[in-house]
Amino acid sequence: DGGITQSPKYLFRKEGQNVTLSCEQNLNHDAMYWYRQDPGQGLRLIYYSQIVNDFQKGDIAEGYSVSREKKESFPLTVTSAQKNPTAFYLCASAPSGSITDTQYFGPGTRLTVL
Amino acid sequence: AQTVTQSQPEMSVQEAETVTLSCTYDTSESDYYLFWYKQPPSRQMILVIRQEAYKQQNATENRFSVNFQKAAKSFSLKISDSQLGDAAMYFCAYNLRGAQKLVFGQGTRLTINP
């Protein structure tokens, strides 16, 4: 089955730790995205990538980092510089990242800071 | 600022009846795409329907249809013959050319009463 997988489903982080959220897709999509969702709010873009070895900051990139070494993988690291990381994180992909594309989403990772 | 407003935080409807969710957006661009996504309790975002701004004809997908009023910047979602499985958060979003992101509203929680 083609789709997007995210792991883990739940993640707990202690203060001062870096953690990495995994996102993998087998849809052969060029573009991948990371969004953050807070309670009662819509999604906000953290980072996006339209091609391997290239990525761009979104609206709320501070305290986050990404890499895109393979087409199918786009991991997100939440660093200790992110002051309020508790949220639901969604990864998405799209065929090319053009305006005509529909973005398809993974099942999400719930991150909680202890 | 580019924004999406969903003025109804919560809506409820009787099973088998029709409900309309409202959405307005603010952009000065003329080329964009509009989307409605559904987020059930599993929290995975699922595409419900999409509309190209240059098309005057309203999009339909089975029981789901939109009322797109470009001049008014309005994009409402109509769900006919509501089913229990339609219960979810519904998000309106748009995608601008060159913006490389979806801009989301804050969502409407839809409850279906049996």
Side-chain angles (χ1 to χ4, degrees):
Chain A
D1 287 336
I4 303 172
T5 57
Q6 291 186 242
S7 61
K9 187 173 182 179
Y10 299 98
L11 185 58
F12 298 90
R13 192 194 91 171
K14 293 182 180 179
E15 297 268 358
Q17 279 185 337
N18 292 353
V19 291
T20 297
L21 284 60
S22 170
C23 177
E24 303 274 335
Q25 54 97 1
N26 62 3
L27 300 168
N28 200 33
H29 286 173
D30 284 323
M32 297 187 75
Y33 308 81
W34 275 105
Y35 290 90
R36 169 177 170 144
Q37 185 178 25
D38 292 286
Q41 298 189 29
L43 281 62
R44 293 181 291 167
L45 182 67
I46 304 172
Y47 268 98
Y48 67 94
S49 168
Q50 288 188 282
I51 195 169
V52 174
N53 292 323
D54 186 54
F55 47 83
Q56 306 296 327
K57 291 181 179 180
D59 297 323
I60 55 167
E62 185 176 352
Y64 300 97
S65 66
V66 293
S67 63
R68 187 87 186 276
E69 297 176 2
K70 298 187 296 183
K71 185 176 183 177
E72 59 270 24
S73 178
F74 191 42
L76 173 74
T77 297
V78 185
T79 75
S80 57
Q82 170 49 237
K83 298 306 179 188
N84 185 22
T86 294
F88 188 64
Y89 291 87
L90 285 155
C91 177
S93 71
S96 65
S98 77
I99 186 176
T100 61
D101 282 351
T102 293
Q103 292 185 21
Y104 297 92
F105 287 81
T109 293
R110 173 72 182 173
L111 173 63
T112 303
V113 174
L114 301 174
Chain B
Q2 297 158 350
T3 59
V4 178
T5 301
Q6 294 180 247
S7 60
Q8 306 151 316
E10 297 184 357
M11 293 280 286
S12 64
V13 64
Q14 291 296 123
E15 192 177 2
E17 295 191 346
T18 296
V19 62
T20 299
L21 309 183
S22 65
C23 172
T24 58
Y25 57 94
D26 184 15
T27 178
S28 57
E29 302 292 328
S30 59
D31 191 8
Y32 52 90
Y33 282 66
L34 295 155
F35 303 84
W36 277 98
Y37 280 90
K38 167 184 176 180
Q39 189 178 41
S42 67
R43 302 202 70 177
Q44 181 157 6
M45 298 286 279
I46 302 166
L47 177 70
V48 175
I49 198 166
R50 56 178 268 166
Q51 171 82 40
E52 293 122 6
Y54 67 86
K55 286 190 176 180
Q56 293 186 339
Q57 185 173 5
N58 290 324
T60 61
E61 287 287 345
N62 300 315
R63 297 182 296 107
F64 299 88
S65 61
V66 299
N67 182 4
F68 174 47
Q69 302 289 331
K70 190 171 184 178
K73 297 180 182 176
S74 171
F75 183 59
S76 61
L77 174 70
K78 185 171 83 171
I79 306 173
S80 303
D81 186 26
S82 298
Q83 300 176 359
L84 294 177
D86 295 333
M89 285 288 289
Y90 285 82
F91 291 94
C92 176
Y94 68 76
N95 185 6
L96 298 174
R97 183 173 297 281
Q100 304 303 336
K101 67 179 181 181
L102 287 170
V103 179
F104 284 87
Q106 294 188 323
T108 296
R109 182 176 302 281
L110 178 64
T111 301
I112 311 296
N113 300 313

